[in-house]
Amino acid sequence: IFLFGMLFLEEGFKAFTGGLLEKLLKRTTSGLGKSIGFGIVTTTVMQSSSLVSVITISFLSAGLIGLAEGIGIIFGANIGTTTGAWLVAGLGLKVNIAAYAMPMLVFGVILVLQSSRTLKGVGYVLAGLGFLFLGIHHMKEGFEAFRETVDLAAFAMTGYAGLFVYTGIGLFATVVMQSSHATLVLIITALASGQITYENGLALAIGANIGTTITAIIGAISANHQGKRLAGAHLIFNVITGVVAIAFIHQLTWAVDAVAAGSGISADDYTLKLAVFHTIFNVIGVVIMAPLTGRLVEFLERAVPAPREDLAQPQFLNEAVVEFPETLLEAVRNEAIHLYDNAMEILAHGLSLHRHHIHSDVDLEEWTRKDRTVFEFDLDTIYMRKVKVLFAAIVEYISRIQNQLPPEYANDIYELRKACGDIVQGVKDVKHLRKNMSLYVKSDNEDIRREYNRLRVVLGQMMRTVDLVRQDGDFDALDLDDFKLAMESDNAAANGTLDALIRDRRITAVMATSLMNDIDYARDLVWNLSEVGAVLFGARDQEDRAAEMLIALDQDDIEDMASDGAK
């Protein structure tokens, strides 16, 4: 019954992680101290360090937080989970909580049957609490009845042998039940009924603390390399904390006695003293490990390396984020940016431009005039390995999960999918453009070389502008509209230059037709990059996006302005 309540409680809180928790996360994890605080608060509220661990893995897998921040949340969750022991020891064994269980179950079930997602979530939380209270009551009654027939104290062991044996029992019980809360309830109720000794109870609590990592480990199976690193950090932290607690068990026992005496807890109130112990050794673990977070991150990055990029693999798409819509949206956005970064190599090198020139303030016009070097590389192979494979993975992922998303996220997912398609189309445009460009930028014919260099400069400056928008986070649709207008009105075909070059026989008819086709490819690339920049690096809020689209010039506006300029 208790575990069923845990499942209901987790299901209820998942209903509120479609926006609120994600937004709170961004504001409260900008540093190790804040991350620890976030872990303490969320675990105290949810009463499930396992759920917080799984959610944190999904955040990390989606690229919303860094590994150090994720480790900080795990540290905080270990402290926050101690509140469960306090609730059970201080309230559950002294109050007839079963009397509160039935009203919670009644109202909880009624709300679960409602159509509103929020009401369903509240219903699951209420029903979960009802089952938790009922489970605690029955475990308490069961141990009291069990005491009449078998005395577990007869199997108690003293010294470090007893510590290790009962630590192993606590670890095993938590792995089986996948809930340190459930194990702690068993320990406290057994301790209250005299079935185990105080020292054995302490060892069981240490084992439960180590065993609770199993949920994070299971959750990391479907996560990416970052999620696996966080699960490793959780295991390392809890094992080290457990070893320290066993090594200094006598000193910790003295500390518990001192705290109990100072706070008015009676010397024979072992259930509350167990809660004190659980809190103290988790806090000590955080104090020991927090200064070592940087080294722990370095170790985990070496132990669990990122996948090689020979064949591009999704870095942010995984099953851990599917149940959290806003986290999933950010995961898809980050994967789309990953695709864009891979495509940038082809776009730049396909135009025989250095990426570091695009990312700097080098005068591209001056540089292209002086340097006629054409970059030799296997565009098709790189496209297959770094773009096509990744694009296919994104499309497959979106197709699979989009029916599970709430309707309000449908437009965002559609725009991200379209942006990925625009990126791929941009690569194809450069592939076509490159054929003639590679020939004519080396040509001794100064006129055709100049016209192709103009296309390279416009496209290079366009990519530079998108990069600046990405860095500054200050998207202005009008900046990108300038490039659209330039491709409509300032190219050789539109401004009469091409006709003049043909009439004067300064270029051949073959050169002219090649240039006309390539101007179209360049024009399409400008429009595609503009759309990609707006979706990936523009405003996230729908209203702000609508305002950006309102001021952006559409196809008719651009053509009208181009024709006015020609007149």
Short mmCIF file of all heavy atoms in Angstrom, two decimals, residues 508-536:
data_model
loop_
_atom_site.label_atom_id
_atom_site.label_comp_id
_atom_site.label_asym_id
_atom_site.label_seq_id
_atom_site.Cartn_x
_atom_site.Cartn_y
_atom_site.Cartn_z
N THR A 508 30.77 34.42 -70.89
CA THR A 508 30.11 33.61 -71.89
C THR A 508 28.67 33.33 -71.47
O THR A 508 28.27 33.52 -70.31
CB THR A 508 30.84 32.28 -72.07
OG1 THR A 508 30.72 31.51 -70.87
CG2 THR A 508 32.30 32.50 -72.41
N ALA A 509 27.88 32.83 -72.42
CA ALA A 509 26.49 32.47 -72.12
C ALA A 509 26.43 31.34 -71.09
O ALA A 509 25.53 31.30 -70.24
CB ALA A 509 25.78 32.06 -73.41
N VAL A 510 27.38 30.40 -71.14
CA VAL A 510 27.43 29.30 -70.17
C VAL A 510 27.67 29.84 -68.77
O VAL A 510 27.03 29.43 -67.80
CB VAL A 510 28.54 28.29 -70.56
CG1 VAL A 510 28.71 27.25 -69.46
CG2 VAL A 510 28.21 27.62 -71.89
N MET A 511 28.62 30.81 -68.66
CA MET A 511 28.86 31.44 -67.37
C MET A 511 27.61 32.14 -66.85
O MET A 511 27.27 32.06 -65.66
CB MET A 511 30.00 32.47 -67.48
CG MET A 511 31.37 31.89 -67.74
SD MET A 511 32.60 33.22 -67.91
CE MET A 511 34.09 32.27 -68.16
N ALA A 512 26.90 32.81 -67.75
CA ALA A 512 25.71 33.57 -67.36
C ALA A 512 24.61 32.66 -66.83
O ALA A 512 23.99 32.94 -65.79
CB ALA A 512 25.21 34.38 -68.54
N THR A 513 24.35 31.55 -67.52
CA THR A 513 23.29 30.64 -67.07
C THR A 513 23.68 29.98 -65.74
O THR A 513 22.82 29.77 -64.87
CB THR A 513 23.01 29.56 -68.12
OG1 THR A 513 24.24 28.91 -68.49
CG2 THR A 513 22.39 30.19 -69.37
N SER A 514 24.97 29.66 -65.60
CA SER A 514 25.43 29.08 -64.32
C SER A 514 25.20 30.07 -63.19
O SER A 514 24.71 29.72 -62.11
CB SER A 514 26.91 28.72 -64.41
OG SER A 514 27.14 27.71 -65.37
N LEU A 515 25.54 31.35 -63.43
CA LEU A 515 25.39 32.37 -62.40
C LEU A 515 23.92 32.57 -62.04
O LEU A 515 23.57 32.72 -60.86
CB LEU A 515 26.01 33.68 -62.88
CG LEU A 515 25.97 34.86 -61.88
CD1 LEU A 515 26.67 34.48 -60.58
CD2 LEU A 515 26.61 36.10 -62.51
N MET A 516 23.04 32.58 -63.05
CA MET A 516 21.62 32.75 -62.77
C MET A 516 21.07 31.62 -61.89
O MET A 516 20.32 31.87 -60.93
CB MET A 516 20.83 32.80 -64.09
CG MET A 516 21.07 34.06 -64.90
SD MET A 516 20.20 34.03 -66.50
CE MET A 516 18.51 34.01 -65.96
N ASN A 517 21.45 30.39 -62.19
CA ASN A 517 21.00 29.26 -61.36
C ASN A 517 21.54 29.36 -59.94
O ASN A 517 20.82 29.11 -58.97
CB ASN A 517 21.45 27.94 -61.99
CG ASN A 517 20.69 27.61 -63.26
OD1 ASN A 517 19.55 28.03 -63.44
ND2 ASN A 517 21.33 26.87 -64.16
N ASP A 518 22.82 29.75 -59.82
CA ASP A 518 23.44 29.79 -58.51
C ASP A 518 22.92 30.96 -57.67
O ASP A 518 22.90 30.88 -56.44
CB ASP A 518 24.96 29.87 -58.66
CG ASP A 518 25.54 28.57 -59.21
OD1 ASP A 518 24.88 27.52 -59.03
OD2 ASP A 518 26.61 28.61 -59.84
N ILE A 519 22.49 32.04 -58.31
CA ILE A 519 21.85 33.13 -57.58
C ILE A 519 20.57 32.63 -56.92
O ILE A 519 20.26 32.99 -55.77
CB ILE A 519 21.55 34.33 -58.52
CG1 ILE A 519 22.86 35.05 -58.86
CG2 ILE A 519 20.57 35.30 -57.87
CD1 ILE A 519 22.70 36.13 -59.92
N ASP A 520 19.83 31.78 -57.63
CA ASP A 520 18.61 31.20 -57.05
C ASP A 520 18.94 30.32 -55.84
O ASP A 520 18.24 30.35 -54.81
CB ASP A 520 17.87 30.37 -58.09
CG ASP A 520 17.15 31.25 -59.10
OD1 ASP A 520 16.87 32.43 -58.78
OD2 ASP A 520 16.87 30.77 -60.22
N TYR A 521 20.00 29.51 -55.94
CA TYR A 521 20.41 28.68 -54.80
C TYR A 521 20.80 29.56 -53.61
O TYR A 521 20.43 29.27 -52.46
CB TYR A 521 21.58 27.77 -55.19
CG TYR A 521 21.21 26.65 -56.13
CD1 TYR A 521 21.97 26.43 -57.29
CD2 TYR A 521 20.15 25.82 -55.88
CE1 TYR A 521 21.65 25.41 -58.17
CE2 TYR A 521 19.82 24.78 -56.76
CZ TYR A 521 20.56 24.59 -57.90
OH TYR A 521 20.23 23.57 -58.77
N ALA A 522 21.56 30.63 -53.89
CA ALA A 522 21.99 31.53 -52.82
C ALA A 522 20.79 32.22 -52.18
O ALA A 522 20.72 32.40 -50.95
CB ALA A 522 22.97 32.56 -53.37
N ARG A 523 19.83 32.62 -53.04
CA ARG A 523 18.62 33.26 -52.53
C ARG A 523 17.86 32.32 -51.59
O ARG A 523 17.42 32.71 -50.51
CB ARG A 523 17.74 33.66 -53.71
CG ARG A 523 16.37 34.21 -53.35
CD ARG A 523 15.56 34.47 -54.61
NE ARG A 523 14.21 34.86 -54.29
CZ ARG A 523 13.24 34.00 -53.98
NH1 ARG A 523 13.51 32.71 -53.93
NH2 ARG A 523 12.02 34.45 -53.71
N ASP A 524 17.70 31.05 -52.00
CA ASP A 524 17.00 30.08 -51.15
C ASP A 524 17.73 29.87 -49.83
O ASP A 524 17.09 29.73 -48.77
CB ASP A 524 16.88 28.73 -51.88
CG ASP A 524 15.92 28.79 -53.06
OD1 ASP A 524 15.11 29.75 -53.11
OD2 ASP A 524 15.99 27.90 -53.93
N LEU A 525 19.06 29.85 -49.89
CA LEU A 525 19.85 29.66 -48.67
C LEU A 525 19.64 30.82 -47.70
O LEU A 525 19.52 30.61 -46.49
CB LEU A 525 21.33 29.51 -49.02
CG LEU A 525 22.29 29.28 -47.84
CD1 LEU A 525 21.88 28.06 -47.04
CD2 LEU A 525 23.73 29.14 -48.34
N VAL A 526 19.59 32.05 -48.22
CA VAL A 526 19.37 33.22 -47.36
C VAL A 526 18.01 33.10 -46.66
O VAL A 526 17.89 33.34 -45.45
CB VAL A 526 19.45 34.51 -48.19
CG1 VAL A 526 18.86 35.69 -47.41
CG2 VAL A 526 20.91 34.81 -48.54
N TRP A 527 16.98 32.75 -47.40
CA TRP A 527 15.66 32.62 -46.80
C TRP A 527 15.63 31.49 -45.77
O TRP A 527 15.03 31.63 -44.68
CB TRP A 527 14.61 32.38 -47.88
CG TRP A 527 14.19 33.64 -48.58
CD1 TRP A 527 14.79 34.23 -49.65
CD2 TRP A 527 13.09 34.50 -48.22
NE1 TRP A 527 14.14 35.39 -50.00
CE2 TRP A 527 13.08 35.58 -49.14
CE3 TRP A 527 12.11 34.46 -47.24
CZ2 TRP A 527 12.14 36.59 -49.08
CZ3 TRP A 527 11.17 35.47 -47.18
CH2 TRP A 527 11.19 36.53 -48.09
N ASN A 528 16.27 30.37 -46.07
CA ASN A 528 16.29 29.25 -45.13
C ASN A 528 17.02 29.61 -43.84
O ASN A 528 16.55 29.31 -42.74
CB ASN A 528 16.95 28.02 -45.77
CG ASN A 528 16.04 27.34 -46.78
OD1 ASN A 528 14.82 27.39 -46.66
ND2 ASN A 528 16.63 26.71 -47.79
N LEU A 529 18.19 30.25 -43.98
CA LEU A 529 18.94 30.64 -42.79
C LEU A 529 18.18 31.66 -41.96
O LEU A 529 18.27 31.66 -40.72
CB LEU A 529 20.31 31.21 -43.20
CG LEU A 529 21.38 30.20 -43.63
CD1 LEU A 529 22.67 30.92 -44.01
CD2 LEU A 529 21.66 29.20 -42.51
N SER A 530 17.46 32.53 -42.61
CA SER A 530 16.66 33.52 -41.88
C SER A 530 15.59 32.83 -41.04
O SER A 530 15.39 33.17 -39.86
CB SER A 530 16.00 34.49 -42.87
OG SER A 530 15.22 35.45 -42.19
N GLU A 531 14.92 31.84 -41.62
CA GLU A 531 13.89 31.11 -40.88
C GLU A 531 14.51 30.32 -39.72
O GLU A 531 13.97 30.27 -38.62
CB GLU A 531 13.16 30.14 -41.83
CG GLU A 531 12.33 30.82 -42.91
CD GLU A 531 11.18 31.63 -42.33
OE1 GLU A 531 10.57 31.17 -41.34
OE2 GLU A 531 10.91 32.72 -42.84
N VAL A 532 15.65 29.69 -40.00
CA VAL A 532 16.34 28.91 -38.96
C VAL A 532 16.75 29.82 -37.80
O VAL A 532 16.57 29.48 -36.62
CB VAL A 532 17.56 28.19 -39.54
CG1 VAL A 532 18.43 27.59 -38.44
CG2 VAL A 532 17.12 27.10 -40.51
N GLY A 533 17.33 30.98 -38.11
CA GLY A 533 17.76 31.91 -37.07
C GLY A 533 16.59 32.35 -36.20
O GLY A 533 16.72 32.45 -34.96
N ALA A 534 15.44 32.63 -36.82
CA ALA A 534 14.28 33.08 -36.06
C ALA A 534 13.76 32.00 -35.12
O ALA A 534 13.43 32.27 -33.96
CB ALA A 534 13.17 33.50 -37.02
N VAL A 535 13.72 30.74 -35.59
CA VAL A 535 13.17 29.65 -34.78
C VAL A 535 14.13 29.22 -33.67
O VAL A 535 13.73 29.05 -32.52
CB VAL A 535 12.82 28.44 -35.67
CG1 VAL A 535 12.40 27.24 -34.82
CG2 VAL A 535 11.70 28.81 -36.64
N LEU A 536 15.41 29.06 -34.02
CA LEU A 536 16.36 28.53 -33.03
C LEU A 536 16.86 29.58 -32.05
O LEU A 536 17.10 29.27 -30.87
CB LEU A 536 17.56 27.89 -33.74
CG LEU A 536 17.28 26.69 -34.64
CD1 LEU A 536 18.58 26.07 -35.10
CD2 LEU A 536 16.43 25.66 -33.92
#
